[in-house]
Amino acid sequence: MTGIETIAADVWIAAAVASPLAAACAMLVLRRWAAALGVLGSLVILGAVAGLAHQLLLLGPQQLVVGGWDPPLGIRLRADGPAVGMAGITGLIGLFVGIYATAYLRPLAASPPHGERLFWPLWMFLWAGLNALYLADDLFNLYVTLEVVGLASVGLAALARTAAAVAAALRYLLVSLLGSLAYLMGVALVYAATGTLELRGVAAAPVGYAALALMSAGLLMKTALFPLHGWLPPAHANAPAPVSALLSALVVKASFYVMLRLWFELFAPLIGPATAHLPGVLAAAAILWGSLQALAARRLKQLIAYSTVAQVGYLFLVFPLGLAGGSLRPAWGAVLFFILAHALAKAAVFLAAGNVLKAFGHDRIADLGGAVQQLPVSMFAFAVAGVSLVGLPPSGGFIAKWLLLAAALEAGRWGYAGVLVGGGLLATAYIFRFFSHAFRFVPESVLCCGLPRRMEGCALLLALGSMALGLAADPILALLQIGLPETGAAGAGGAP
Amino acid sequence: MTELLGIAPQWLTAAAVGLPLLCAAALALPGRRRVPPQLVAWAALPAVMAAWLLPEGTTAVFGWLLLSARLGLDATGRIFLFFTSALWLLAGVYGTGYLKADRRRARFFFFYGLAMSGNLGVVLAQDMVGFYAFFALMSFAAYGLVVHTGDPEALRAGRIYLTLVVVGEIALFSGLALLAAAGSLAIGDLGAGAVPSVAMLLICAGFGIKAGALPLHVWLPLAHSAAPTPASAVLSGAMIKAGLLGWLRFVPIEAAVSASWGPWFVAAGAAAAFYAVAAGCTQSHPKTVLAYSSISQMGLITIGVGISLFSPAAAAAGLPAVALYALHHGFAKGALFLAVGLLQNAAPGTRASRLAWAGLLLAALSLAGAPLTGGAVAKGALKAAVALAPQGWAAALFMLLPLASVATTVLMGRLAYLMAGRAPGCGRPGAGMWIAWLMMLAPAALLAYAAPADEALSWAAIGAAAWPLAAGGALAGLAWAAGRSSRRIVSAQVPAGDVVVAYAALIRLAARAAAAVANSLSGWVPRVRLPQRLRRQSAAMAAAAESALGSWQVSGLLFLIVVVGVFLQALCAG
Amino acid sequence: MSALLYAVVGAVLFALGLYGVVAASPLLRKVLAFNIAGSGVFLFLVAMADRVRVPFPDPVPQAMVLTGIVVAVSATALALLLICLLRELSDRPREAADDGH
């Protein structure tokens, strides 16, 4: 615990969690300055994560024992490849979505005392929760951070204050609480069985299996894997665009990230090939069902929300590919890369949809003719991010799908390979379906208002980011694989 | 050589691919009025330099790019890079003049730059992911070139093109991933492991779409003729060869498993060589005729690939022949397209028009393999490779190849007929267009004198190459005369894209059949306007199912099922 | 022995609460059911503290329960706030979530 490097890592870890918390508290006091504080805070957090990534590349996984109190009563945070990768993508998306929100939420801020002023503290609490969740190193802290993330997300989802949005948020809250409670009961069972909260292997006993079932089901519900996805489309489609972007790009991934940690670290001894195929089957169904619903969607934001339902399916393919006979390392890298690629692309798509909604005053797909000629920048961003969602080169989505497909073929899982390819076809179909309307030529302008330049710029930058992610895939992949869990891949520690 | 210039090889390879991309990006920037669009044409210069200067075996690894991309130059790559870069440069220079009055030329050159970068990247890529990424970039950017004019024909061509591109991309994605699972990502290491036949099929079909292989060629006559002339030149001259290069790179040519694929390639190639001429002779648009000629010539190249698959000895002669043929066809077809463009611009009877006619005929003769032209050399190399094929195949192909020359001559006769009857032009093509065209024409015509094989210049070779031309010329003349006396022969027409009409009809038929089957299964649905109703009903059912999944009771039950399911399954399995 | 009893009662309360969250129709009842389920988990955790008695009961589950109560209180507050808001907006607090899309 001595040496200048370790101290520096401690500082970065602490800053990544504490600075959004501090910013949130400051915003509650200095309401007038919320937006400025928010952008400033985003930069500070991003800097902390960048410092942490630097430490990680130099020294490998880092940890911080908060206040010097050892677990189980104290809190220990650890920063390995996945955690820093997730925190990094959160920082990047958070910064741009925040800048976007300063323009998007203006009219909301004028109406009663909510809108923008509530957005910022809630988003900062959410950000603190997300960073703490990525870094958490024991079961109970994961529970607390899950709850922080869930409550803050619900607050954000209700921000639009329409009946539909509040109803969807309430529903989201209850689902989220249901999931967390199941998770907490699982924690209690694990503690009963092992007497520890660490993410180490659980012995094969009925209590362990019950914990596995409860925690997994709770997290599946929070991640909205088919058929437990019913709450997601209304909540994501009715929230303001920057909130939709945050929810779809980041929050859904947070609970999946917990699931990933649990299945690969805590429950690894309990999971045989047959069990690992259960999420795989649901994943295939999710890809199919979500894509079909996206094809049938009438509103643009609904289409994008269903696209999230479909894309969440791809994430769960990691379990059959990584735990059912295949080798862990490729599947693990593939799914983390998929998270990053999807987060960037989906955030860009939601922001572009927000621009459409603002400029047209509605988002009914059939009435969006002329969008391409009147919002060329936003539509270009939508198209570039769409390329990543479909999985065409050289986007991040392509690399992610390529890695997943390679893992599937290496493990000899032809069915999953078919699902991957078919899912790409369906995604092409729903993205093209939107563009077939948007490309329609409309002689006169149908926009109801102009857009601030930063709204289009943020969408474009995130979309280009999803492209750049694919171009610079190798170093990012190397970072994500630092500190790979040892199950199934003995000695596969990560060097940059 | 590169050391003399003080340029590190990896910088040259990076610039060859990167510069067109940068130029295209510069065009897309908001202040684009400042950047002259024609700059993009000159962005091919680093690639031209790389083709001449880089030593073979150069590899540059870009660890940060994609999954550690490798760019480099090998023997095959050099030949491809040589004509690909030259064609992009010359067609670009030509296009600067051709599109001078076009208001959308910035958009044209934007896509031109992207497609150029993709095509050069395909040639230089030494790893699978990079190859695929550049291939996709090229294919999708070329869509912008195909639909440039924006008229309904171009849009239809673009739609059909895009459909086949997406189908091809998916086939390649799966095929290459299968190949990667069997081997490694580096191109040099391929074919070491056993290659599943599914992967072979997907790769052959995926690249076959780009190369215009027979049943998949339907997009080509439409797209190549709809694009502006300089784009047609690179589409038919350079980009079509990316499909061929894909075959050469990813079909494990010397592996024993591939030998059984040889006959298929030869048969498909031979069928394309003759079928495309038959279909092309009925066309009434000169550029469509040229596009069909490309399909036919790619058929001959496919025969060469097939022969190389038979045995390693055949491959040793076949692969260089294929590369040489591709090089020759690239220049000749590019020159033909540009000549058509020049003739459409030049007023008839002028010296310019006569020069263009002379060049057109020279390129056409070269394409048909006339003695003393580049075509004779290319055909000679192909014949030498054919000699190494198994007995029966060699005999059959020795019969077929001269006949293919006859067919090509007839098709070129058709082109000349159409050009003679064209509406007179009135423009004055600029000097840049002439120079670019002549530089493209020169290698097509003069390749014979650069090649070391001087037997191409012997009397026997000249005689062997000359008779198919004479026969073809006579046939074309007869048809011309017959056409004069009765218009019926020439007015028989196959729609451009020939079987695409049949495909569309098939798809409609399949949809109708599916609807009919569904209809008979559910007798209570009224027969009238069924597909519409069926679609609405299935949409309503999906929506109903979705809202049921969304209800609290159902989702609570599902939650419970998941809990119990995971528990029981884990317990039983554990 | 009494620890086992508490644990079983906790598990039963948890199950009842879950049933209530899913099956109860009024939103307020769902929130109450959630609190019951939460209490069940807490009871179960407190019973777990009995695993170690010497020199004092295991403090970890008790710490978890304390934190859990804080979370449950704030979640309940948020849920009540949203129910009020929804009533204000639509005058229809029952199951309005289903027609959210």
Side-chain angles (χ1 to χ4, degrees):
Chain A
M1 274 296 155
T2 54
I4 187 92
E5 298 90 351
T6 329
I7 293 167
D10 283 0
V11 172
W12 295 131
I13 294 179
V17 180
S19 47
L21 267 183
C25 298
M27 282 163 184
L28 290 176
V29 181
L30 305 168
R31 290 187 169 200
R32 198 174 287 275
W33 302 96
L37 273 173
V39 176
L40 188 72
S42 307
L43 288 171
V44 171
I45 304 165
L46 204 53
V49 174
L52 193 53
H54 180 69
Q55 290 285 325
L56 180 73
L57 285 173
L58 278 182
L59 304 169
Q62 303 289 318
Q63 56 175 320
L64 165 69
V65 179
V66 177
W69 294 91
D70 280 322
L73 281 174
I75 298 172
R76 189 176 62 205
L77 302 175
R78 77 168 157 180
D80 55 3
V84 174
M86 297 289 291
I89 204 72
T90 305
L92 220 74
I93 290 174
L95 177 66
F96 287 117
V97 170
I99 294 172
Y100 179 91
T102 58
Y104 187 92
L105 296 174
R106 263 293 126 73
L108 278 179
S111 65
H114 296 283
E116 188 181 7
R117 288 185 186 169
L118 264 182
F119 168 81
W120 278 107
L122 278 172
W123 160 224
M124 283 294 148
F125 277 124
L126 174 60
W127 200 338
L130 286 171
N131 276 353
L133 181 139
Y134 304 143
L135 295 164
D137 197 22
D138 70 68
L139 289 174
F140 190 69
N141 279 320
L142 281 173
Y143 164 73
V144 175
T145 51
L146 265 177
E147 286 287 30
V148 172
V149 167
L151 295 182
S153 310
V154 169
L156 284 170
L159 213 57
R161 290 175 72 89
T162 60
V166 173
L170 193 52
R171 161 113 199 229
Y172 180 19
L173 173 66
L174 288 170
V175 163
S176 174
L177 290 176
L178 186 65
S180 315
L181 265 187
Y183 177 90
L184 185 62
M185 194 62 193
V187 174
L189 289 172
V190 170
Y191 192 78
T194 64
T196 167
L197 294 170
E198 305 219 354
L199 292 167
R200 304 277 176 275
V202 172
V207 182
Y209 289 116
L212 167 73
L214 277 170
M215 293 169 101
S216 305
L219 291 170
L220 289 185
M221 189 104 175
K222 279 167 105 68
T223 317
L225 181 66
F226 177 88
L228 304 174
H229 65 283
W231 59 269
L232 184 143
H236 287 201
N238 287 316
V243 174
S244 311
L246 294 174
L247 295 184
S248 247
L250 302 172
V251 173
V252 167
K253 312 296 191 317
S255 45
F256 174 77
Y257 175 86
V258 176
M259 176 103 175
L260 200 62
R261 291 278 198 206
L262 293 192
W263 277 51
F264 279 93
E265 295 177 24
L266 179 69
F267 291 123
L270 302 190
I271 292 166
T275 314
H277 279 299
L278 201 72
V281 171
L282 293 183
I287 293 170
L288 187 70
W289 186 257
S291 303
L292 289 179
Q293 293 293 336
L295 265 174
R298 299 220 174 111
R299 287 174 42 207
L300 182 57
K301 286 182 75 181
Q302 221 167 32
L303 184 153
I304 304 170
Y306 274 111
S307 156
T308 300
V309 172
Q311 302 267 331
V312 156
Y314 289 108
L315 302 179
F316 283 88
L317 289 180
V318 70
F319 299 111
L321 297 183
L323 291 170
S327 51
L328 171 64
R329 195 179 178 85
W332 177 264
V335 75
L336 286 167
F337 200 85
F338 195 99
I339 292 180
L340 305 196
H342 179 252
L344 277 169
K346 192 47 66 76
V349 166
F350 257 126
L351 295 194
N355 290 344
V356 169
L357 190 61
K358 265 275 145 79
F360 278 75
H362 69 85
D363 66 341
R364 293 183 301 276
I365 295 170
D367 302 335
L368 289 178
V372 167
Q373 101 218 34
Q374 283 161 21
L375 297 172
V377 179
S378 299
M379 287 300 102
F380 181 69
F382 197 109
V384 170
V387 162
S388 185
L389 287 181
V390 170
L392 290 172
S395 63
F398 159 66
I399 300 283
K401 270 195 192 160
W402 176 270
L403 293 170
L404 276 176
L405 192 61
L409 293 173
E410 200 184 291
R413 303 278 168 216
W414 294 82
Y416 294 123
V419 166
L420 277 163
V421 173
L425 263 182
L426 285 169
T428 318
Y430 62 70
I431 300 277
F432 269 30
R433 177 170 159 265
F434 163 64
F435 272 108
S436 70
H437 290 287
F439 256 112
R440 215 173 50 233
F441 184 78
V442 175
E444 75 279 9
S445 172
V446 286
L447 302 192
C448 66
C449 63
L451 293 174
R453 187 170 285 175
R454 61 174 178 267
M455 281 173 69
E456 299 215 293
C458 285
L460 183 64
L461 282 173
L462 282 174
L464 292 178
S466 75
M467 253 332 131
L469 185 71
L471 287 175
D474 225 31
I476 294 171
L477 209 53
L479 180 126
L480 289 175
Q481 286 174 333
I482 296 176
L484 193 72
E486 278 124 39
T487 35
Chain B
M1 279 291 270
T2 47
E3 287 77 9
L4 289 179
L5 288 171
I7 307 170
Q10 60 265 43
W11 280 109
L12 198 55
T13 46
V17 178
L19 196 61
L21 212 55
L22 281 181
C23 288
L27 282 184
L29 286 180
R32 63 170 169 267
R33 306 283 175 274
R34 309 273 163 73
V35 188
Q38 48 272 33
L39 196 69
V40 169
W42 295 100
L45 267 181
V48 176
M49 283 169 64
W52 286 93
L53 299 179
L54 278 186
E56 249 159 53
T58 309
T59 346
V61 180
F62 299 90
W64 53 270
L65 184 69
L66 294 168
L67 296 175
S68 178
R70 293 150 60 92
L71 296 178
L73 199 62
D74 54 1
T76 318
R78 183 194 289 287
I79 299 177
F80 274 81
L81 187 63
F82 178 71
F83 71 82
T84 303
S85 59
L87 277 171
W88 280 99
L89 175 66
L90 296 173
V93 171
Y94 179 95
T96 314
Y98 187 86
L99 296 167
K100 198 186 283 171
D102 195 329
R103 281 194 304 121
R104 288 164 301 184
R105 74 173 187 282
R107 195 182 70 178
F108 177 85
F109 278 105
F110 170 71
F111 287 115
Y112 194 84
L114 290 185
M116 184 199 295
S117 170
N119 197 350
L120 296 172
V122 162
V123 175
L124 287 169
Q126 295 292 321
D127 71 298
M128 190 186 281
V129 175
F131 190 99
Y132 178 64
F134 284 121
F135 194 83
L137 174 64
M138 177 188 81
S139 301
F140 284 102
Y143 172 77
L145 301 178
V146 171
V147 299
H148 176 75
T149 57
D151 53 32
E153 257 171 65
L155 289 179
R156 169 164 178 264
R159 211 167 49 237
I160 293 171
Y161 172 70
L162 209 55
T163 310
L164 277 142
V165 164
V166 170
V167 170
E169 290 295 322
I170 285 165
L172 283 182
F173 182 60
S174 341
L176 291 180
L178 278 170
L179 206 57
S184 89
L185 285 179
I187 278 179
D189 306 346
L190 290 174
V195 178
S197 334
V198 191
M200 277 284 279
L201 189 67
L202 287 169
I203 287 170
C204 291
F207 287 123
I209 287 178
K210 184 62 62 190
L214 200 47
L216 308 169
H217 66 286
V218 291
W219 63 274
L220 200 146
L222 295 162
H224 285 204
S225 56
T229 298
S232 311
V234 284
L235 271 166
S236 245
M239 285 193 248
I240 197 172
K241 310 294 189 309
L244 169 67
L245 187 63
W247 282 341
L248 298 185
R249 294 280 200 226
F250 295 107
V251 174
I253 288 187
E254 291 179 8
V257 279
S258 309
S260 57
W261 288 79
W264 293 103
F265 268 82
V266 172
F274 291 99
Y275 174 79
V277 167
C281 276
T282 70
Q283 302 300 318
S284 57
H285 195 294
K287 283 167 78 179
T288 316
V289 171
L290 283 177
Y292 270 107
S293 156
S294 292
I295 299 174
S296 160
Q297 296 293 310
M298 288 306 288
L300 292 177
I301 295 179
T302 310
I303 293 180
V305 175
I307 290 167
S308 308
L309 289 172
F310 279 127
S311 69
L319 292 180
V322 162
L324 186 66
Y325 206 109
L327 174 113
H328 162 256
H329 176 249
F331 282 115
K333 190 50 61 68
L336 277 169
F337 266 112
L338 297 195
V340 167
L342 284 171
L343 275 174
Q344 279 168 343
N345 264 329
T350 56
R351 192 142 47 103
S353 160
R354 278 196 293 276
L355 178 60
W357 261 110
L360 180 84
L361 291 178
L362 182 59
L365 285 174
S366 174
L367 197 68
L372 306 180
T373 62
V377 182
K379 292 226 154 111
L382 197 58
K383 261 185 203 157
V386 164
L388 296 172
Q391 272 302 312
W393 288 99
L397 287 172
F398 271 127
M399 297 261 295
L400 277 178
L401 284 183
L403 287 182
S405 288
V406 173
T408 306
T409 315
V410 171
L411 191 58
M412 290 298 110
R414 173 73 184 166
L415 174 74
Y417 170 82
L418 288 173
M419 288 311 292
R422 81 197 191 281
C426 57
R428 283 175 54 94
M433 289 170 72
W434 287 105
I435 294 170
W437 173 63
L438 285 172
M439 286 181 72
M440 209 180 276
L441 186 60
L446 304 178
L447 192 63
Y449 307 99
D454 48 13
E455 59 264 28
L457 299 175
S458 73
W459 285 111
I462 290 175
W467 77 260
L469 246 78
L475 266 176
L478 271 178
W480 194 324
R484 279 222 175 142
S485 56
S486 119
R487 298 215 57 85
R488 200 138 39 96
I489 297 182
V490 275
S491 61
Q493 227 184 2
V494 173
D498 49 283
V499 284
V500 75
V501 183
Y503 289 171
L506 261 180
I507 290 171
R508 269 197 300 275
L509 200 70
R512 214 168 294 156
V517 168
N519 189 10
S520 61
L521 287 180
S522 54
W524 47 273
V525 180
R527 276 181 183 274
V528 267
R529 300 184 59 204
L530 182 101
Q532 178 82 25
R533 185 174 279 259
L534 203 68
R535 201 187 311 158
R536 212 177 299 149
Q537 261 170 4
S538 58
M541 259 153 62
E546 176 64 11
S547 74
L549 279 179
S551 82
W552 265 107
Q553 279 74 14
V554 175
S555 54
L557 193 65
L558 286 170
F559 179 77
L560 199 67
I561 290 173
V562 170
V563 174
V564 175
V566 174
F567 178 71
L568 287 181
Q569 198 190 18
L571 196 65
C572 298
Chain C
M1 195 57 220
S2 65
L4 185 66
L5 182 68
Y6 283 125
V8 169
V9 170
V12 170
L13 275 181
F14 171 74
L16 281 177
L18 280 196
Y19 174 78
V21 171
V22 171
S25 173
L27 288 168
L28 193 58
R29 218 177 263 189
K30 279 188 196 295
V31 175
L32 290 175
F34 154 74
N35 273 293
I36 289 173
S39 305
V41 180
F42 300 149
L43 195 56
F44 186 88
L45 275 172
V46 169
M48 283 310 111
D50 194 49
R51 289 160 21 104
V52 190
R53 283 203 169 184
V54 189
F56 46 79
D58 188 353
V60 175
Q62 305 188 11
M64 286 199 275
V65 169
L66 278 177
T67 319
I69 288 174
V70 174
V71 171
V73 167
S74 33
T76 309
L78 180 59
L80 295 178
L81 177 79
L82 285 178
I83 290 175
C84 291
L85 194 58
L86 188 61
R87 181 193 297 249
E88 212 175 274
L89 287 168
S90 65
D91 292 324
R92 199 163 57 96
R94 285 166 155 264
E95 261 315 300
D98 271 359
D99 47 29
H101 55 278

